[in-house]
Amino acid sequence: MATGLHGGHPTTVDLARGMDQFGLLLTAFLVVGATTAFAAFVAVWAPDFRPLLLQEDGIVEMATAVFFAVAAIEAGISIATWGLRLPLLLAGLIGFAELMDETSFGSRLFGFQPPPLYGGGQLDGFHDLLIVVFRLMRDLNPLLAWLLVGLMLAASVALVAFVAMQVLRGFRGDPKRLSTHTLLFAHFAFIGLAQVIDISASSSPALSAMEEVFELDAAILLAFYVLQQAREARVANARRS
């Protein structure tokens, strides 16, 4: 009797929840795919607009900062509304940290000078810590530096493979077994790929542009993950009440 009053058979509820989750997953990847395709089109076929899109503090970087801010604020509002949930707290903290990283901890907004970076440049983000490690390892032994890059690339590719398996599982009609953290894993995969480019091939304009787009893709995926977890929190609260 209680099952009937609170939403039907558990299998039916799980299937509906899985389908809803899979739909959100597909929407997130469609947005990411369209964003990446548009950036590639502009880079190849509209070179006059390329600097506006991909330059430092250009459209892509600004959009990345906006999506990270949306993820952080959305997580905070959801926690205040539906209560503390670890996935929302984690995603909110990640969004805030990456927002600070993307805006160089406020140096671009307020014009202060960040400290110098070992080997050249400025220490204006968390990603620069990886660059420092890479440069120190390279100075010690170049093979160690490239081992670091290889491990990061392998981890990112493994995450991409996991996410692809999750999507295929949904297409095969088994959405109930989808991981609720697939979008977060996809976020880490894109961030990992961006960091691999950043620490090893930042001198290439084409790869630098790919890095910026990957970071935007990661920000979009994180915002969708927060949306997904907020919906989970809302449904859980509705069931308890």
Side-chain angles (χ1 to χ4, degrees), residues 155-236:
S156 300
V157 171
L159 286 173
V160 169
F162 172 79
V163 171
M165 289 174 60
Q166 292 291 302
V167 174
L168 285 175
R169 180 174 290 172
F171 276 121
R172 289 171 180 169
D174 191 17
K176 290 186 295 182
R177 296 176 58 197
L178 285 176
S179 169
T180 56
H181 306 298
T182 299
L183 287 169
L184 185 62
F185 290 134
H187 165 80
F188 286 137
F190 276 98
I191 283 292
L193 292 172
Q195 294 311 305
V196 166
I197 295 172
D198 187 40
I199 67 175
S200 62
S202 58
S203 60
S204 167
L207 287 176
S208 294
M210 288 178 59
E211 176 203 348
E212 299 296 343
V213 175
F214 282 160
E215 287 180 348
L216 174 56
D217 292 340
I220 293 171
L221 290 168
L222 185 64
F224 271 96
Y225 176 71
V226 174
L227 174 62
Q228 177 196 44
Q229 293 302 317
R231 291 166 70 173
E232 291 276 332
R234 183 186 63 190
V235 170

Side-chain angles (χ1 to χ4, degrees), residues 36-205:
T36 305
F38 176 75
F41 175 82
V42 171
V44 174
W45 299 105
D48 292 340
F49 292 97
R50 190 185 308 156
L52 181 64
L53 186 71
L54 297 169
Q55 67 184 355
E56 188 82 1
D57 296 330
I59 293 174
V60 168
E61 280 202 0
M62 293 298 294
T64 302
V66 167
F67 274 104
F68 281 140
V70 166
I73 294 170
E74 185 181 12
I77 293 173
S78 298
I79 290 172
T81 304
W82 309 115
L84 180 62
R85 289 173 64 93
L86 184 58
L88 280 171
L89 177 62
L90 176 63
L93 291 175
I94 290 172
F96 178 74
E98 291 177 335
L99 171 64
M100 296 303 294
D101 186 273
E102 194 66 26
T103 58
S104 302
F105 298 100
S107 66
R108 297 182 192 175
L109 299 176
F110 304 108
F112 64 84
Q113 192 71 13
L117 183 68
Y118 173 79
Q122 296 176 328
L123 181 60
D124 59 359
F126 292 118
H127 64 283
D128 289 327
L129 299 177
L130 275 174
I131 295 177
V132 170
V133 172
F134 175 80
R135 290 175 177 176
L136 288 171
M137 295 177 74
R138 184 185 59 192
D139 292 346
L140 182 64
N141 188 327
L143 288 179
L144 291 176
W146 290 110
L147 177 62
L148 172 65
V149 174
L151 290 174
M152 291 178 60
L153 180 60
S156 300
V157 171
L159 286 173
V160 169
F162 172 79
V163 171
M165 289 174 60
Q166 292 291 302
V167 174
L168 285 175
R169 180 174 290 172
F171 276 121
R172 289 171 180 169
D174 191 17
K176 290 186 295 182
R177 296 176 58 197
L178 285 176
S179 169
T180 56
H181 306 298
T182 299
L183 287 169
L184 185 62
F185 290 134
H187 165 80
F188 286 137
F190 276 98
I191 283 292
L193 292 172
Q195 294 311 305
V196 166
I197 295 172
D198 187 40
I199 67 175
S200 62
S202 58
S203 60
S204 167

Side-chain angles (χ1 to χ4, degrees), residues 2-66:
T3 301
L5 290 174
H6 292 282
H9 195 277
T11 302
T12 304
V13 173
D14 289 342
L15 180 60
R17 176 175 170 271
M19 290 298 295
D20 182 66
Q21 179 179 315
F22 185 56
L24 188 64
L25 189 69
L26 287 183
T27 302
F29 283 115
L30 283 173
V31 173
V32 165
T35 301
T36 305
F38 176 75
F41 175 82
V42 171
V44 174
W45 299 105
D48 292 340
F49 292 97
R50 190 185 308 156
L52 181 64
L53 186 71
L54 297 169
Q55 67 184 355
E56 188 82 1
D57 296 330
I59 293 174
V60 168
E61 280 202 0
M62 293 298 294
T64 302
V66 167

